[in-house]
Amino acid sequence: MAKNKLFLLDAMALVYRAYFSLAQSPRITSAGKNTNAQFGFTNTIYDLLKKEKPTHMAVVWDTHAPTERHTDFTDYKANRQEAPEDLLNAIPDVKRIIEGFNIANLELDGYEADDVVGTIALQMSEQDFDVYMVTPDKDYGQLVRDHVFIYKPGYKGGTYEILGPKEVCEKWDIEHVGQVIDILGLMGDAVDNIPGIPGIGEKTASKLLKEYGTLENVLANAPYIKGKLGEKILAGSDSACISKKLATIITNVPIAYHIDDLKVDGWHADHLRAVFEELEFRALGRRILGEMSQLTGDHPVITQTDLFGNVVGAAAQVSGGADNSVGPHVDTVSNTPHEYILINSEAEVQAFLEKALQQEEICFDTETTGLDALQAELVGMSFSWKAHEAYYINCNDGAARKYIELLQPLFRKEDVLWIAHNLKYDLLVLKRYGVELTGPYFDTMVAHYDIEPDGKRSMDMLSIKYLNYEPVSIESLIGKKGKGQLNMRDVPLPQITEYAAEDADITFQLKQQLDPLLDKEDVRDLFEKVDNPLVRILADMEYEGVNLDVDFLRQYSSDLAITIQKAQQSVFEQAGVSFNLASPKQLGEVLFEKMQLDEKARKTKTGQYATGEDVLQKLRKKHKIVEDILVFRELSKLKSTYSDTLPVLLHPETGRIHTSYNQAVVVTGRLSSNNPNLQNIPIRTDNGREIRKAFIARDSGHILISADYSQIELRIVAAISGDENMITAFRENKDIHRATAARVYGVTESEVTSEMRRNAKAVNFGIIYGQSAFGLSETLGISRSEAKEIIDNYFEQYAAVKAYMNRSIDFAKEHGYVKTLMGRKIRLADINSANATVRGFAERVAINAPIQGSAADMIKMAMINIDRAMKAQRVRSKMILQVHDELIFDVLADEAEIMRTLIKENMENAMILPNGVPVIAEAGMGKNWLDAH
């Protein structure tokens, strides 16, 4: 190995990668700025510095000036869409971050970044340097040689790759790296709009180069290559030549640089601190700036500090011994006057109770031995009713039940407003100790969800955003990974007193900040009528759980194993080879190389063949092996995800399944669930539906009732669009898909065939998700022109639906959000993006979100009304599950008819739809979920 290590970063490739890796969960600052790219790029640089310890580094940029490639081929990169605005806006920040790390930014008009990288890489590889080109771009393979490598960063948590000549040749299936430009000349590169020879893919290009060595030799021998392949090569020879030139990286760029200027030799702490503070990189900033001195070797630029300049390891002591000082611009427990009182005896609890009973609002929080509220034990409780004042009741040493009994007058008080962050957890903890809060409540997590549905909403994050206050962290107290993996009994009493009391104090203050924002954002009704009242109901449902037929699941798992083995053996026999059927890579090679099922088989970004569900469905009619593969996949997933896993999730004390509902995650208002995820219980296939048999009534004296809405999303479409044809169909209780088919195909309803109805059903559901003619043709297996005709006819018959779609997109473009019928706002940051793909996705969300969100609001309101009615009638039956538009109840047999009527009435009247569109709920009964459904 060489003495020096030079890392050259392909800036824009890494910026794109960083931005899109977080696209599903964007990082948004309190000012509304997207920082995906800045965050990801910072992590990339820091990881390289920390793990690889380069001696030299530079970041290389493209410029806006045209290059020789654009002159040679005007369509070069012409098919690239405009980058998202958030990505472009990130570039100045990224450059500032690079400067803060004291790393050189390099660029040169007339040349691309890869030309500059290639030039420097080859020059420095001859001067005792190992050069690593940091990029996900495969084209750099042509530059690899002794002392020059591709360093491909991991994606979305994956591991990095280092590619030398051997690895590059293996990836491309070529003899030497010089053939990278030959293979690109033959096959082209869709990303850069390099045409190559039409009809020649990577596999064919590789075979040609194995035989002829170079692109030029392939072209020279084209007249002697038989069949269509030879004809393609002859016809595309000019295109191949220009493609090879376009793909060739220039290695004699006149870039001016001095190698000493690229030396990694310390960072500018103040500069980085300012950028990180502006971008709100608090945790990342503390980690980086706190560890910098360890990475600068013998030439540190700064001492070891946290993000705001405090020396790590030599900080002033605060109560409990924790260092929480982060500078004058952010408040903390160390620089904010406060009074946190420990309650640690029966007499002190009694004195606390007298004060608490006089309060109108009390913030409440629990500290426990774990995250599972149904198994955790109570360690302590904290309370606050005035900013900067709080109490912590220590419940260790067997005091929990004694103190809870003393506090019953407070818990039963009906005229106190209970405030908490993620109240559902605390309610579940209290229920295990026989406590039910009877007063109203205000969940700050749910309030923030209604105010700002995107992003995360931990108490710590909201504290910084709304209070400019950084709370004590478990990490700063005892150096462990965090509360999620911590038994709070491990925390010494002084520290946990401060930590817990501060939580209650902060949450009390957050309520005061968030409450007026409910009015400002016009979501008060949504919060008070829908989301906040649901918290207690979800806690009751989680606590109740559902019974599981374990014997059935064991037998079903056994049956699945036999069928899976048969399907696998059938695949091996038809393929003529045994392989790992669960490996997409090996499956792709068998289907597309050995069996040649699709000459145009596409590959993923990782270079392996795509073998997803959509790909296999298209191949279903080509060969029976595909059917067996699909059976293998479906049953393997059922076995691993459900029949094998559900019994493991049984609660050790209750013997029941207790799913956990997430109320503040999905921006449309839908609930999600985990452990297990019941929203994904399969219903589309017979094998999948069998899983529902495992969910059974409590005992022989109970049955399950399953109730769901009939065509609720289409009814909402009719209501908000005001389309008379659709409204009439629902008012007359027609089969909406048959009625649609009759209109679209211009026939009477009695003349509608099953195929017509199937097509109409696909359109009905597809349209509200923005489905195109291409998408419909793929779904139905019909031509694109036929699909377009169906859609055109649909909009002709349902013109108001099309008007609604346009109206919703226009509203989103003007306001940046769309709304449900209950006023829930779904924000669309990309609705005006110049990137057509990004903008198109946002437009589809603008159409569907008000529909899906209104349906979500409706079933939540139904749950609230049903719960209220059940309490009024004093029934003993329980609401136990919610899955999309369906509710499941564990019902005492004697209450079955009362419950069915109660459920149906309250579901149908939960939300009155505009334009008189009727809402229909259907309810069934059975000993298990499948029978009831």
Side-chain angles (χ1 to χ4, degrees):
M1 298 293 289
K3 178 181 177 182
N4 298 297
K5 292 171 68 175
L6 169 61
F7 279 69
L8 299 171
L9 281 62
D10 182 351
M12 286 308 296
L14 296 173
V15 167
Y16 266 85
R17 193 178 184 84
Y19 176 82
F20 284 105
S21 71
L22 294 170
Q24 297 303 313
S25 182
R27 295 182 57 87
I28 308 295
T29 69
S30 56
K33 183 174 187 175
N34 183 307
T35 58
N36 286 4
Q38 300 94 316
F39 186 83
F41 203 98
T42 301
N43 267 315
T44 296
I45 287 186
Y46 182 62
D47 286 346
L48 289 173
L49 292 170
K50 187 174 182 180
K51 294 175 184 176
E52 303 301 333
K53 295 181 170 54
T55 59
H56 298 73
M57 182 180 283
V59 181
V60 187
W61 296 85
D62 297 314
T63 72
H64 293 294
T67 69
E68 183 180 321
R69 295 180 181 90
H70 294 92
T71 304
D72 290 341
F73 186 62
T74 54
D75 287 336
Y76 179 63
K77 294 190 177 181
N79 63 350
R80 286 195 177 181
Q81 294 182 352
E82 287 291 324
E85 286 84 353
D86 287 338
L87 187 153
L88 295 175
N89 293 337
I91 292 174
D93 292 333
V94 172
K95 288 187 174 181
R96 289 164 61 207
I97 290 165
I98 294 164
E99 291 164 1
F101 278 107
N102 200 22
I103 294 168
N105 280 301
L106 300 178
E107 60 185 41
L108 184 64
D109 281 348
Y111 297 92
E112 295 186 46
D114 49 5
D115 299 325
V116 176
V117 169
T119 299
I120 298 175
L122 298 192
Q123 289 174 355
M124 299 317 299
S125 67
E126 298 175 356
Q127 299 184 36
D128 199 26
F129 276 82
D130 283 330
V131 183
Y132 295 85
M133 304 175 293
V134 185
T135 181
D137 191 343
K138 61 185 182 296
D139 298 4
Y140 280 78
Q142 63 191 272
L143 300 169
V144 169
R145 58 205 64 195
D146 290 344
H147 301 294
V148 179
F149 309 90
I150 292 175
Y151 189 103
K152 186 177 180 182
Y155 189 61
K156 291 187 177 181
T159 57
Y160 67 89
E161 289 182 86
I162 296 178
L163 285 69
K166 177 176 176 290
E167 291 79 12
V168 169
C169 290
E170 286 176 354
K171 276 189 176 289
W172 288 99
D173 192 18
I174 52 179
E175 303 297 327
H176 57 84
V177 297
Q179 290 179 315
V180 169
I181 53 176
D182 293 296
I183 204 167
L184 288 169
L186 287 165
M187 63 177 281
D189 184 350
V191 174
D192 289 339
N193 207 32
I194 297 175
I197 297 176
I200 291 185
E202 184 178 336
K203 184 178 176 182
T204 302
S206 172
K207 286 181 179 178
L208 288 169
L209 291 176
K210 278 185 172 66
E211 186 169 354
Y212 299 107
T214 66
L215 170 70
E216 289 74 18
N217 285 344
V218 171
L219 298 181
N221 285 278
Y224 311 107
I225 297 174
K226 295 180 180 179
K228 291 185 177 179
L229 179 58
E231 295 173 8
K232 289 178 183 177
I233 297 169
L234 283 170
S237 59
D238 290 343
S239 177
C241 290
I242 189 64
S243 295
K244 180 173 179 177
K245 183 178 180 182
L246 293 172
T248 301
I249 293 174
I250 300 168
T251 57
N252 59 349
V253 173
I255 180 72
Y257 70 98
H258 194 286
I259 191 60
D260 288 344
D261 294 335
L262 309 189
K263 184 176 288 188
V264 174
D265 194 20
W267 295 268
H268 302 304
D270 290 340
H271 180 104
L272 279 176
R273 187 176 296 114
V275 178
F276 291 163
E277 185 178 348
E278 178 186 322
L279 299 177
E280 299 177 8
F281 291 175
R282 291 182 173 86
L284 178 64
R286 278 194 302 273
R287 179 167 66 91
I288 290 176
L289 290 168
E291 296 178 6
M292 275 189 173
S293 64
Q294 300 173 22
L295 303 180
T296 52
D298 296 328
H299 306 285
V301 173
I302 60 171
T303 57
Q304 186 180 0
T305 67
D306 67 16
L307 173 56
F308 300 104
N310 304 296
V311 178
V312 174
Q317 296 294 304
V318 297
S319 72
D323 168 31
N324 299 289
S325 175
V326 292
H329 58 288
V330 175
D331 294 331
T332 69
V333 73
S334 65
N335 62 24
T336 303
H338 63 277
E339 185 177 12
Y340 295 160
I341 300 170
L342 171 64
I343 308 293
N344 204 22
S345 71
E346 200 168 323
E348 290 172 343
V349 172
Q350 289 284 12
F352 163 80
L353 178 62
E354 290 180 16
K355 290 182 181 179
L357 287 171
Q358 308 304 312
Q359 310 307 317
E360 296 180 354
E361 291 187 351
I362 299 178
C363 183
F364 172 69
D365 189 31
T366 58
E367 300 301 335
T368 63
T369 56
L371 277 183
D372 186 343
L374 292 176
Q375 296 192 56
E377 295 179 19
L378 192 62
V379 174
M381 298 175 285
S382 54
F383 300 83
S384 176
W385 49 76
K386 183 179 179 182
H388 311 303
E389 292 183 12
Y391 302 82
Y392 177 67
I393 300 179
N394 177 30
C395 294
N396 267 333
D397 303 321
R401 293 195 180 276
K402 177 174 64 175
Y403 290 166
I404 281 176
E405 185 60 32
L406 290 174
L407 293 172
Q408 284 290 3
L410 178 61
F411 293 138
R412 291 175 184 154
K413 198 170 188 289
E414 295 184 358
D415 58 349
V416 61
L417 176 70
W418 292 100
I419 301 164
H421 193 81
N422 190 15
L423 174 67
K424 178 162 64 71
Y425 179 88
D426 302 304
L427 292 177
L428 286 167
V429 172
L430 290 182
K431 284 172 81 72
R432 293 192 71 230
Y433 286 83
V435 175
E436 298 278 352
L437 297 182
T438 55
Y441 52 87
F442 186 107
D443 191 324
T444 52
M445 182 182 75
V446 174
H448 183 258
Y449 171 61
D450 288 342
I451 293 163
E452 190 176 316
D454 295 287
K456 299 178 180 179
R457 57 196 90 256
S458 71
M459 188 206 69
D460 288 5
M461 292 176 65
L462 299 188
S463 175
I464 292 169
K465 178 173 181 176
Y466 291 100
L467 306 175
N468 193 40
Y469 184 100
E470 177 136 0
V472 174
S473 68
I474 288 295
E475 294 88 342
S476 70
L477 289 175
I478 58 175
K480 292 199 174 184
K481 291 183 179 179
K483 185 176 179 180
Q485 300 174 357
L486 179 70
N487 181 335
M488 294 301 283
R489 283 190 179 137
D490 295 339
V491 183
L493 189 55
Q495 282 102 318
I496 195 173
T497 297
E498 179 178 86
Y499 174 86
E502 185 191 56
D503 273 6
D505 174 19
I506 290 170
T507 304
F508 177 79
Q509 293 183 59
L510 282 174
K511 187 266 180 183
Q512 318 311 317
Q513 295 291 320
L514 295 174
D515 195 25
L517 291 179
L518 294 171
D519 295 314
K520 182 179 179 182
E521 293 295 328
D522 196 23
V523 289
R524 172 75 63 183
D525 275 359
L526 177 68
F527 176 73
E528 293 186 348
K529 295 180 180 178
V530 183
D531 286 336
N532 196 55
L534 193 68
V535 173
R536 198 193 309 263
I537 295 167
L538 293 178
D540 289 344
M541 290 167 62
E542 289 185 22
Y543 189 79
E544 181 67 19
V546 59
N547 200 9
L548 198 69
D549 189 338
V550 176
D551 291 337
F552 166 78
L553 285 174
R554 285 176 181 151
Q555 182 58 53
Y556 192 44
S557 190
S558 236
D559 296 342
L560 288 173
I562 294 170
T563 311
I564 289 167
Q565 179 59 34
K566 287 180 180 177
Q568 178 174 265
Q569 191 56 41
S570 177
V571 169
F572 292 165
E573 289 172 1
Q574 293 174 80
V577 63
S578 295
F579 60 99
N580 181 1
L581 189 45
S583 164
K585 182 176 185 297
Q586 293 183 34
L587 176 61
E589 290 168 353
V590 169
L591 292 181
F592 304 121
E593 292 182 7
K594 187 175 188 300
M595 299 185 69
Q596 298 283 310
L597 288 191
D598 186 359
E599 293 179 359
K600 299 179 180 178
R602 62 183 175 87
K603 290 190 174 183
T604 66
K605 291 179 180 179
T606 60
Q608 66 186 39
Y609 290 104
T611 58
E613 177 84 6
D614 56 334
V615 173
L616 295 181
Q617 289 292 349
K618 293 175 188 176
L619 297 173
R620 205 165 192 160
K621 295 179 181 178
K622 283 198 170 185
H623 201 289
K624 182 184 178 298
I625 193 173
V626 178
E627 184 67 37
D628 289 322
I629 293 166
L630 289 168
V631 168
F632 173 87
R633 281 190 175 177
E634 180 199 359
L635 301 191
S636 296
K637 183 174 182 180
L638 286 176
K639 187 175 186 298
S640 63
T641 307
Y642 299 109
S643 64
D644 289 349
T645 301
L646 286 175
V648 178
L649 297 176
L650 288 175
H651 192 282
E653 295 175 15
T654 68
R656 294 166 71 84
I657 288 285
H658 299 267
T659 191
S660 179
Y661 288 100
N662 306 308
Q663 191 181 353
V665 174
V666 184
V667 295
T668 58
R670 276 191 164 186
L671 298 176
S672 63
S673 65
N674 58 287
N675 295 323
N677 178 1
L678 297 181
Q679 312 298 319
N680 287 345
I681 294 285
I683 58 171
R684 292 184 179 180
T685 66
D686 291 339
N687 289 315
R689 281 190 288 272
E690 286 291 294
I691 296 295
R692 293 192 171 206
K693 282 186 179 178
F695 294 84
I696 58 177
R698 174 175 289 277
D699 53 39
S700 59
H702 287 72
I703 62 168
L704 295 186
I705 290 182
S706 169
D708 64 352
Y709 283 114
S710 169
Q711 312 290 358
I712 192 58
E713 291 194 354
L714 287 177
R715 291 174 189 271
I716 292 171
V717 171
I720 62 180
S721 70
D723 190 283
E724 284 301 327
N725 288 337
M726 194 174 282
I727 291 171
T728 298
F730 282 123
R731 282 178 180 165
E732 295 177 0
N733 199 26
K734 291 184 176 181
D735 175 343
I736 187 63
H737 303 312
R738 182 171 296 278
T740 298
R743 288 189 171 278
V744 168
Y745 287 100
V747 298
T748 65
E749 290 183 28
S750 61
E751 295 174 309
V752 171
T753 65
S754 59
E755 183 179 1
M756 289 177 179
R757 186 184 182 279
R758 179 178 72 95
N759 292 352
K761 183 177 180 179
V763 178
N764 271 331
F765 288 122
I767 286 299
I768 59 178
Y769 287 92
Q771 190 174 52
S772 64
F774 173 76
L776 184 63
S777 69
E778 293 286 299
T779 300
L780 297 177
I782 60 178
S783 69
R784 204 173 303 180
S785 59
E786 185 179 351
K788 183 179 183 303
E789 184 179 358
I790 291 173
I791 290 175
D792 289 345
N793 289 344
Y794 181 93
F795 284 135
E796 187 176 330
Q797 293 298 319
Y798 298 108
V801 174
K802 181 63 173 176
Y804 155 73
M805 294 167 68
N806 293 335
R807 190 166 63 247
S808 191
I809 292 171
D810 290 343
F811 181 92
K813 287 180 182 294
E814 181 180 351
H815 297 91
Y817 64 86
V818 288
K819 292 197 297 185
T820 68
L821 289 171
M822 280 301 298
R824 185 184 304 279
K825 295 180 180 179
I826 297 96
R827 304 187 190 281
L828 300 164
D830 298 319
I831 192 66
N832 291 306
S833 173
N835 183 300
T837 302
V838 172
R839 185 179 66 254
F841 176 78
E843 289 176 351
R844 290 191 292 275
V845 174
I847 295 167
N848 178 252
I851 301 163
Q852 189 182 105
S854 294
D857 292 343
M858 181 184 289
I859 199 161
K860 286 180 178 179
M861 295 173 75
M863 293 166 72
I864 294 165
N865 293 346
I866 290 168
D867 179 76
R868 187 182 298 122
M870 289 171 66
K871 285 181 169 62
Q873 298 231 19
R874 298 181 180 275
V875 297
R876 289 178 290 167
S877 301
K878 303 289 184 181
M879 179 161 34
I880 57 172
L881 295 175
Q882 188 266 14
V883 180
H884 300 312
D885 301 327
E886 183 178 5
L887 296 174
I888 299 93
F889 300 80
D890 206 340
V891 175
L892 197 67
D894 292 344
E895 296 175 348
E897 287 306 323
I898 294 173
M899 282 296 296
R900 180 152 62 177
T901 301
L902 180 154
I903 293 164
K904 192 172 180 345
E905 286 180 355
N906 281 283
M907 287 183 73
E908 291 179 349
N909 293 290
M911 181 192 292
I912 305 303
L913 292 180
N915 294 306
V917 176
V919 174
I920 302 295
E922 299 166 341
M925 302 182 187
K927 294 303 292 183
N928 63 61
W929 186 5
L930 182 63
D931 290 346
H933 185 76

